[in-house]
Every structure is written in C-alpha cells, then in structure tokens.
Amino acid sequence: MRTTRRPLYAAGRFDRAAIMSAAAKAAHAHQERFGGTWVEAMSVCLTAAWRSAKLARHMAAH
C-alpha cells in the first residue's frame, strides 16, 4: 500500500490521475461514514479534490 500522497498540482499542471485517486479513496471513506450511493460519494469527493487542486495552484502562484 502506498503511504505517500501525490501532489494534485505540480510543475504547472493538474495531475488528474492523482485527483481521481484521492477522490476515490475519500469516496470510500465518505460512503462508509455517511452511506449513500457511490455516485453521490464520488460527486462530493471529486468536487473537494478539485477544490484542493485549485487551492494548491493558487498557493504555488503566491
């Protein structure tokens, strides 16, 4: 099992594979905690992952 987290934004580009991986991992935890469907969990977690990536881009610019 991989214990390190890949950066969501690096070298001036979004890492879409890292964003999807982070969202899927979070969706499993979300579904365990709150129930609901996989689609609902992925929707919430993909939105959060993209927001995190955009924040990382913003922080890298400043």
Side-chain angles (χ1 to χ4, degrees):
M1 181 176 186
R2 188 178 178 134
T3 58
T4 59
R5 190 174 72 119
R6 290 172 26 199
L8 304 179
Y9 180 81
R13 301 185 69 177
F14 290 114
D15 184 344
R16 292 180 181 174
I19 291 168
M20 190 63 159
S21 177
K25 185 174 181 180
H28 282 289
H30 184 278
Q31 202 172 25
E32 285 179 13
R33 184 170 181 181
F34 300 108
T37 67
W38 178 250
V39 172
E40 291 169 337
M42 276 301 287
S43 175
V44 168
C45 295
L46 269 173
T47 299
W50 274 104
R51 284 185 181 167
S52 294
K54 289 176 182 177
L55 179 61
R57 177 181 62 182
H58 174 76
M59 297 304 288
H62 295 286

